[in-house]
Amino acid sequence: MKTLLIIFICSIPALLISTIINIPDDLTTIQEGINNSVDGDTVLVQPGTYFENINFNGKAITVASLFLTTQDTTYISQTIIDGSQPANPDSASVITFCNEEDSTAVLTGFTIINGFGRLSFWGRQGGGIWCSGSNPYLNNLIVINNTAAEGGGIWCSVSNLYLNNLIVINNTANMGAGIFSEYGSLKLFNLTISNNSEGAILSWWSSISLENVSIDENSGGGIICDDSNLNLINVSITNNYNDFEGGGIGCYGYSELNLINVILSDNLAGIGGAILCWGESNIFLTNTTLTGNQALENGSGIYCWGSATLIDCILWDNTIDEIYFSPVEGPNSITISYSDIQGGEEGIVTNDNGTVFWLEGNIDEDPFFVETGDHPYSLQDISPCINTGIPDTTGLYLPEVDLVGNPRVYGGRIDMGAYENQNVVVEINEDIIPLITALHQNYPNPFNPAGAGRSPRTTIRYQLSEISHVLISIFNIKGQLITTLVDEMKSAGEYSIIWNGVDQSNQNVPSGIYLYRLKTKDDSKIKKMILLR
């Protein structure tokens, strides 16, 4: 029977009135509870091991352990759904979502173990969780010791999943042992993905966002993506290895990778120890640290075929080389500013197919990592990377905190790398006006059309320390001149100019990365901007 209860849940601000089906008091199995539930119900499971393979059957219900009502995390490990004895071997995923469930279908507070996947044409998929065409909300789960051909822990296709507070560990697959996604969207928050055999995350034609995620000690690489978009914020990718390509991250096809506050350390691969960028992929690294990574052949830090942009990054002590350009036919290009690169431009191994835009603010100095404790690659107080990042962070969309949770900008100016030193402060005398020639970051950046039929507009600010002839020009990523915005004498002072995304012939230019250069009689400065149409 069903019991009508009023429950107070500390994680949800409102009073919830819900029909609770208690397992095993009201019904013996979790699946029986699901079968007898209606939308809005909660199937509340007592601690114990349940040898089941459950299917939500399209219901907007919550299936939960006592973690839901108590917020006691010990119930997560005490409440186990074990898929080792399936009633139907062809549907042997521990948990199945395949009936267009949405985010009102919630699974929370369990350990999911010993699944071996749903049988398909491609082999078994989704040992722990199998999700097709559905968008459930999964939180506070341990997904462990599951096996499949694809997606040992979690497999999803044409699905939009929100995953929060998950541990995905010791799962096995031929591809994507931790998480496998195709044609979908994943939002991952507060995850630990470790010790999975053949890849922590594999993404095909998907969009994946990771925030506060640790990817550690996975064979087959940390993240492998093909024709996918990845956004990583406050992510640690360490001690992963791949016999072939991309120990930390491997990007293929037309993928786009955006990293902010990320550390890739001690990863190993044949090529691309930390990052492999292959097949005209684009990667954008902001406040990212690459250190201690190894490649057996080339590209211990980054192996690049495509384009890469680095701002406020540290690449140090990666064996063989920091950045390596693929010798295959390009185009290959990398733009670097306000970053610490071991060996400077010589730390970048290039060829006829590679173009390096070595912009302002870069250094080649020992970053003086702490080298001990939980965050060995944070910065000592004597580090030259402190308060030497880009002066104007406008348009970078930085999070408020760094990788460890400290304020991202401390001491008046951002640091290089994934960690922000909390001790060193820049002394500022507000009565002194800087007497330097400077080119500032354009705003907004990226920039796009303001509305239907409108041209994109971005403002470029610059200042001059003395009278000079000024030339401000726009170039594409290949270094080809697009247009000239200023070509005249200017007095000392501050100026701004608007670029509306057109070339010399007043024709719209396509989306992409563009460079703008300020050239005076004694100086030349270059910055990068992104146009999105």
Side-chain angles (χ1 to χ4, degrees):
M1 64 177 182
K2 297 182 182 179
T3 304
L4 181 64
L5 298 176
I6 299 176
I7 61 175
F8 294 84
I9 303 175
C10 64
S11 63
I12 303 175
L15 174 65
L16 300 182
I17 301 176
S18 174
T19 300
I20 309 297
I21 301 174
N22 287 287
I23 308 298
D25 292 341
D26 296 336
L27 295 167
T28 304
T29 68
I30 300 171
Q31 190 62 56
E32 286 181 298
I34 294 172
N35 295 343
N36 285 272
S37 68
V38 297
D39 289 352
D41 283 353
T42 297
V43 178
L44 191 63
V45 183
Q46 299 294 314
T49 299
Y50 298 81
F51 293 95
E52 299 191 49
N53 302 81
I54 69 173
N55 191 319
F56 264 60
N57 293 327
K59 294 186 176 182
I61 59 173
T62 295
V63 178
S65 72
L66 296 186
F67 166 79
L68 179 70
T69 55
T70 66
Q71 298 298 290
D72 184 346
T73 57
T74 60
Y75 285 114
I76 298 174
S77 59
Q78 294 173 6
T79 315
I80 301 167
I81 307 177
D82 187 321
S84 62
Q85 302 176 29
N88 180 0
D90 290 343
S91 301
S93 300
V94 183
I95 313 291
T96 296
F97 299 93
C98 62
N99 294 283
E100 299 183 356
E101 292 91 351
D102 61 18
S103 59
T104 59
V106 178
L107 181 70
T108 183
F110 293 98
T111 293
I112 299 167
I113 191 171
N114 292 335
F116 55 89
R118 188 182 182 96
L119 188 61
S120 74
F121 175 80
W122 304 105
R124 292 197 174 273
Q125 300 169 325
I129 297 172
W130 190 89
C131 184
S132 178
S134 300
N135 312 314
Y137 175 40
L138 312 177
N139 71 89
N140 294 285
L141 303 171
I142 300 173
V143 183
I144 183 172
N145 292 343
N146 300 281
T147 302
E150 298 176 351
I154 300 171
W155 182 93
C156 55
S157 178
V158 197
S159 297
N160 301 317
L161 294 187
Y162 185 102
L163 311 179
N164 186 29
N165 289 324
L166 265 66
I167 297 175
V168 182
I169 185 171
N170 293 343
N171 300 285
T172 302
N174 297 330
M175 295 189 295
I179 300 172
F180 181 105
S181 175
E182 62 179 15
Y183 306 108
S185 173
L186 294 181
K187 294 183 179 180
L188 313 180
F189 294 89
N190 306 315
L191 264 68
T192 297
I193 309 174
S194 64
N195 289 293
N196 297 284
S197 176
E198 292 309 316
I201 298 174
L202 188 145
S203 171
W204 282 350
W205 305 287
S206 295
S207 175
I208 300 183
S209 297
L210 296 85
E211 187 166 348
N212 299 331
V213 174
S214 173
I215 300 174
D216 182 54
E217 295 186 355
N218 299 278
S219 66
I223 301 175
I224 304 296
C225 62
D226 195 337
D227 286 312
S228 297
N229 295 325
L230 273 74
N231 292 286
L232 284 67
I233 298 176
N234 290 341
V235 173
S236 172
I237 302 175
T238 61
N239 294 300
N240 304 283
Y241 69 92
N242 192 331
D243 292 337
F244 303 104
E245 304 165 345
I249 300 173
C251 287
Y252 301 87
Y254 293 91
S255 294
E256 184 165 304
L257 177 63
N258 183 35
L259 277 64
I260 302 176
N261 288 355
V262 174
I263 184 165
L264 291 105
S265 64
D266 304 299
N267 300 287
L268 170 66
I271 60 174
I275 297 174
L276 175 87
C277 175
W278 187 268
E280 301 185 39
S281 295
N282 298 316
I283 59 176
F284 303 87
L285 278 61
T286 305
N287 285 103
T288 293
T289 299
L290 279 66
T291 186
N293 301 286
Q294 299 181 55
L296 301 180
E297 296 182 25
N298 300 108
S300 297
I302 299 173
Y303 188 105
C304 184
W305 174 22
S307 70
T309 300
L310 280 64
I311 302 174
D312 297 342
C313 294
I314 300 173
L315 277 71
W316 198 266
D317 200 25
N318 298 290
T319 61
I320 301 180
D321 41 43
E322 301 299 323
I323 301 168
Y324 178 82
F325 279 107
S326 168
V328 301
E329 185 175 355
N332 304 301
S333 66
I334 191 162
T335 304
I336 305 173
S337 59
Y338 294 96
S339 295
D340 187 6
I341 310 294
Q342 188 169 18
E345 290 189 83
E346 294 181 359
I348 304 172
V349 181
T350 187
N351 50 57
D352 293 340
N353 297 317
T355 303
V356 179
F357 297 99
W358 187 259
L359 308 186
E360 61 188 325
N362 297 307
I363 60 175
D364 172 17
E365 300 181 46
D366 188 333
F368 286 101
F369 294 130
V370 172
E371 297 183 352
T372 61
D374 293 335
H375 305 286
Y377 300 116
S378 55
L379 304 175
Q380 297 184 43
D381 293 351
I382 60 172
S383 172
C385 298
I386 296 173
N387 294 321
T388 51
I390 188 169
D392 185 357
T393 61
T394 302
L396 295 184
Y397 305 105
L398 293 167
E400 294 183 358
V401 297
D402 69 357
L403 185 58
V404 75
N406 290 321
R408 177 62 269 192
V409 180
Y410 180 86
R413 181 167 166 179
I414 197 168
D415 298 346
M416 298 176 182
Y419 300 97
E420 187 82 7
N421 180 281
Q422 302 295 300
N423 299 321
V424 180
V425 179
V426 177
E427 294 184 3
I428 300 175
N429 187 338
E430 296 181 353
D431 296 327
I432 298 177
I433 300 175
L435 297 177
I436 59 172
T437 296
L439 178 64
H440 301 292
Q441 186 65 50
N442 65 303
Y443 182 82
N445 183 47
F447 66 104
N448 52 24
R454 299 282 298 277
S455 297
R457 293 165 59 90
T458 190
T459 299
I460 298 170
R461 296 185 299 112
Y462 62 99
Q463 64 188 49
L464 305 174
S465 61
E466 59 182 350
I467 186 171
S468 176
H469 183 268
V470 175
L471 190 66
I472 295 182
S473 305
I474 310 292
F475 299 87
N476 63 20
I477 197 65
K478 297 179 181 179
Q480 298 168 326
L481 178 66
I482 298 299
T483 189
T484 298
L485 301 180
V486 178
D487 185 3
E488 59 182 300
M489 293 294 297
K490 293 279 188 180
S491 301
E494 296 185 355
Y495 299 90
S496 66
I497 186 74
I498 291 175
W499 184 46
N500 59 359
V502 299
D503 61 16
Q504 295 275 46
S505 302
N506 206 36
Q507 299 297 310
N508 290 333
V509 299
S511 298
I513 300 172
Y514 291 88
L515 305 172
Y516 58 103
R517 183 182 69 183
L518 166 67
K519 189 173 183 180
T520 66
K521 64 177 182 179
D522 298 320
D523 209 345
S524 179
K525 300 181 182 299
I526 300 177
K527 284 187 175 292
K528 178 265 301 182
M529 57 182 160
I530 301 172
L531 169 61
L532 301 174
R533 291 191 181 275

